[in-house]
Amino acid sequence: MSGDIARYQIDYILVKNRFKNQVKFCKAYPSADCDSDHNLVIAKFELRHKKPQRPKVQQDKYSVRLLKRAEVVEQYGRYMDIEYRKENVDDALNKKWENIKSAIKKISGYCVDKKKKKEPRRAWIDKEIVKLIDERRKYKNNNTREGQQKYRQLRNQVNREARKSKEEWLEQQCSEIDELFKVNKIDYAYQKIQQFVGKRKRD
C-alpha cells in the first residue's frame, strides 16, 4: 500500500521435503533492481542425489535356455494349448490377461526348471565333512593333552576327506562338461566352464 512502511514476505522458493537438507543458504534481496514489485530471492543448494531405495520383489527366474530344446518347446506348447482351451471367449480383457499370465507361470513350473542358486564356494564340502569340522571346533580351545591330540586327529581327517571329496567333484564336473561337448551343447558347456573356472579379470 502507498505510504505503508510494513513489509510482507510473499516470495518463496519451494523445495520438496526430500531435498530440504540440501538447502544451504536462502535470502531475499529487496535492493535488487529487477524491474518488479517482488523481491529477488536467492537460494544456494548442494545437490546430492541419492538413488531411492525400492523394496525388492522376489521373482521366480526360469532357465529359458531350456526352450532351445525341441522336446521342451513341444511340451510347453501342448500344455499351453490345453490351458488356452479352458478360456471363455466372453471374459473381459483384463481377466483374459490374468488367466494367460497364471497359465504361463503354471506351465513354466512344469516344463522349465527354476534357476538354481549359485553353488557354494567349496561345493565339494558335504554334510559329513561339516560334521567333522563342527566336531573339530569343539577341541580347538581344549588345552589338555588329550584334547590337542583329538584336535590334530580330527584336523587330519577333515583334510583327507575334503581332498578326496574335491577330487571326486572335479571328476564329476569334467565328465559333465565332456558330455555337453559330445551332444553339441557348446553354450551349456562354456557356461559350465565359466562357473567352474570363474570370470577372468581384465587388465
Side-chain angles (χ1 to χ4, degrees), residues 2 5 11 34 48 58 60 74 143 145 151 159 183 189:
S2 178
I5 61 173
D11 300 302
C34 57
R48 297 189 306 273
Q58 188 68 26
D60 293 332
E74 183 182 355
N143 295 323
R145 184 177 179 181
Y151 176 80
N159 291 339
V183 295

Side-chain angles (χ1 to χ4, degrees), residues 18-115:
R18 177 185 167 194
F19 305 116
K20 66 180 182 179
N21 292 334
Q22 299 181 7
V23 180
K24 299 301 180 183
F25 174 80
C26 187
K27 185 177 180 181
Y29 290 86
S31 59
D33 186 7
C34 57
D35 193 21
S36 174
D37 56 349
H38 292 270
N39 292 330
L40 182 65
V41 182
I42 295 178
K44 182 178 179 181
F45 292 83
E46 183 180 348
L47 297 179
R48 297 189 306 273
H49 292 295
K50 293 182 180 179
K51 188 177 181 180
Q53 297 293 332
R54 297 180 181 178
K56 294 183 179 179
V57 180
Q58 188 68 26
Q59 295 180 346
D60 293 332
K61 295 183 178 180
Y62 298 94
S63 300
V64 293
R65 287 176 173 267
L66 294 175
L67 293 174
K68 293 182 179 181
R69 301 180 183 178
E71 63 273 15
V72 177
V73 173
E74 183 182 355
Q75 185 185 22
Y76 196 93
R78 188 167 60 251
Y79 279 121
M80 280 297 295
D81 188 49
I82 294 171
E83 292 294 328
Y84 186 75
R85 290 178 182 176
K86 297 178 182 178
E87 294 289 329
N88 189 353
V89 293
D90 297 328
D91 288 342
L93 186 62
N94 288 337
K95 187 176 181 181
K96 287 182 179 180
W97 163 241
E98 290 297 328
N99 292 338
I100 292 172
K101 187 168 64 173
S102 61
I104 291 173
K105 288 184 178 180
K106 179 181 177 181
I107 297 168
S108 297
Y110 294 150
C111 304
V112 185
D113 296 334
K114 292 183 179 180
K115 283 187 175 181

Side-chain angles (χ1 to χ4, degrees), residues 140-164:
K140 184 175 182 180
N141 296 323
N142 192 330
N143 295 323
T144 62
R145 184 177 179 181
E146 292 80 6
Q148 290 298 311
Q149 185 177 0
K150 184 69 174 178
Y151 176 80
R152 287 192 295 270
Q153 180 184 351
L154 288 170
R155 181 188 61 190
N156 294 335
Q157 187 177 358
V158 167
N159 291 339
R160 284 195 304 270
E161 294 296 329
R163 194 180 301 112
K164 179 182 177 183

